[in-house]
Amino acid sequence: MEPDASSAAAAQNPNPNPSTGPPPISAYYQTRAEHHAVVSSDWLAHAAAAASLPPSSDAADADAASDAAALLSPGSNGGGGGVIEEFNFWRRKPEAAEAVAAIMALAAVIRSSRATTMMELEIELKKASDKLKSWDATSISLSAACDLFMRFVTRTSHLEHEKFDAAKSRLIERGEKFGEISLKARKTIAMLSQDFISDGCTILVHGYSRVVLEVLKLAASNRKLFRVLCTEGRPDRTGLRMSNELAALGIPVKALIDSAVAYSMDEVDMVFVGADGVVESGGIINMMGTYQIALVAHSMNKPVYVAAESYKFARLYPLDQKDMTPAHRPIDFGVPIPAGVEVETSARDYTPPQYLTLLLTDLGVLTPSVVSDELIQLYL
């Protein structure tokens, strides 16, 4: 017996109706997928060049090729299913970030489309893009990845190809290239970050970040001696997950309660954090607690390095903590909350650029002001 429509919708998005009841919990914080965002129109060219950096070893090259092959294997629906189903298929792949899942789902829409003109195809893609964005309206990743793909559609249809079939093939190729580059981005960042990690240093990390983990993993494989202080990352304990992964790699790690950051900062030589998004000011949006860590580090003259893939650069300009689309997550204090007590469920905060030292990206090592200049000029 086929499930009813409401059951199917719940399976696609565990919180499909944010307009009623208590503040909705962002689907991102239920699935722990990564947030990504739009960069520039020539991002692929720059990122492709960065991704072509020689690997540190033959084994690394083989790993990258294996990862790319796994990511780019045909989707479960072969392009014939709905865009949400296709998105969910790619999202379940261990190495596929949310931006890549959205791009692959839209590429599948192109493959299965019966449109005969670019105008028809753009309309069809716009509908699919809007459907993906509505799956989780709080997700920086979904919105930005869909916008990036639509920019490629506009640029291709009006500037590059005269024949529809050639344009359609090019769009599919670009979508798949985006996925391939996204995998190599973390490895490129890890290589560029090694000069910042010295023997005997102590590094503070916050929560779980796949790109930060890649940086530390490569440093350990290069036989660098360092230790890590890792916050617990409440309420979903992502920091404890990070601690477990680091310990499994043989890296000395000490777990901290989130409120012990200032207490422990005098032991720290540098802070490494990831980012949900890098915004036009050069600041970052990341999991709750990043801002206060940066404030403490700045006050004690400790460098704060942000490891972020270049496709996380977003066309956003928050001025304060409340100037962002709210994203909520469940909070479990472990004890009953008294009746009438309000609970803050915001999941992320904004760290202004003046508290960040450098951004380590697959396009190179950037200062926050460089990020701001490039993005502002792009969208004038």
Side-chain angles (χ1 to χ4, degrees), residues 38-302:
V38 176
V39 205
S40 62
S41 58
D42 59 349
W43 176 84
L44 275 180
H46 289 295
S52 66
L53 288 173
S56 56
S57 67
D58 291 339
D61 192 26
D63 288 344
S66 175
D67 289 343
L71 178 64
L72 298 175
S73 59
S76 61
N77 299 310
V83 67
I84 296 297
E85 290 82 354
E86 192 73 21
F87 168 74
N88 282 329
F89 169 81
W90 291 108
R91 192 167 54 86
R92 286 191 291 267
K93 287 182 175 287
E95 292 300 319
E98 194 172 71
V100 180
I103 291 294
M104 292 302 190
L106 291 174
V109 171
I110 298 176
R111 290 191 196 95
S112 61
S113 173
R114 296 183 179 180
T116 57
T117 67
M118 282 304 300
M119 180 64 71
E120 291 177 358
L121 181 55
E122 285 188 35
I123 292 173
E124 189 173 344
L125 277 173
K126 180 64 166 60
K127 290 179 179 178
S129 173
D130 290 343
K131 189 172 183 180
L132 279 174
K133 290 180 182 180
S134 66
W135 187 84
D136 182 1
T138 70
S139 174
I140 299 172
S141 165
L142 278 180
S143 177
C146 292
D147 289 344
L148 178 60
F149 198 88
M150 294 304 294
R151 284 171 64 84
F152 286 159
V153 169
T154 303
R155 186 157 58 95
T156 298
S157 62
H158 295 298
L159 300 179
E160 296 187 18
H161 296 287
E162 295 181 358
K163 294 183 178 180
F164 172 73
D165 289 343
K168 182 175 178 179
S169 297
R170 184 60 173 162
L171 287 180
I172 295 172
E173 178 185 343
R174 284 184 173 179
E176 293 177 345
K177 187 65 175 178
F178 184 97
E180 180 183 351
I181 289 173
S182 72
L183 286 176
K184 295 180 180 179
R186 292 189 201 121
K187 296 183 182 298
T188 302
I189 293 169
M191 287 188 287
L192 292 175
S193 302
Q194 296 309 299
D195 289 340
F196 297 88
I197 301 177
S198 57
D199 279 336
C201 71
T202 297
I203 303 170
L204 174 68
V205 301
H206 181 49
Y208 182 83
S209 165
R210 287 191 287 188
V211 66
V212 172
L213 180 61
E214 190 75 25
V215 169
L216 300 179
K217 181 179 179 181
L218 181 59
S221 69
N222 289 336
R223 300 185 181 279
K224 291 191 176 184
L225 301 177
F226 60 95
R227 70 179 186 130
V228 178
L229 304 185
C230 188
T231 61
E232 61 180 328
R234 281 180 61 87
D236 42 14
R237 296 178 173 83
T238 52
L240 296 182
R241 176 187 173 190
M242 186 76 161
S243 297
N244 288 335
E245 300 231 15
L246 293 172
L249 294 171
I251 299 173
V253 58
K254 179 167 73 172
L256 308 176
I257 58 174
D258 292 336
S259 55
V261 167
Y263 173 82
S264 303
M265 190 59 74
D266 60 346
E267 303 177 40
V268 173
D269 295 298
M270 67 194 73
V271 176
F272 259 94
V273 296
D276 290 350
V278 181
V279 298
E280 289 186 84
S281 66
I284 63 170
I285 297 171
N286 198 40
M287 72 172 291
M288 184 65 72
T290 303
Y291 181 31
Q292 63 193 29
I293 290 174
L295 283 171
V296 173
H298 181 76
S299 70
M300 298 179 70
N301 295 316
K302 309 290 184 176

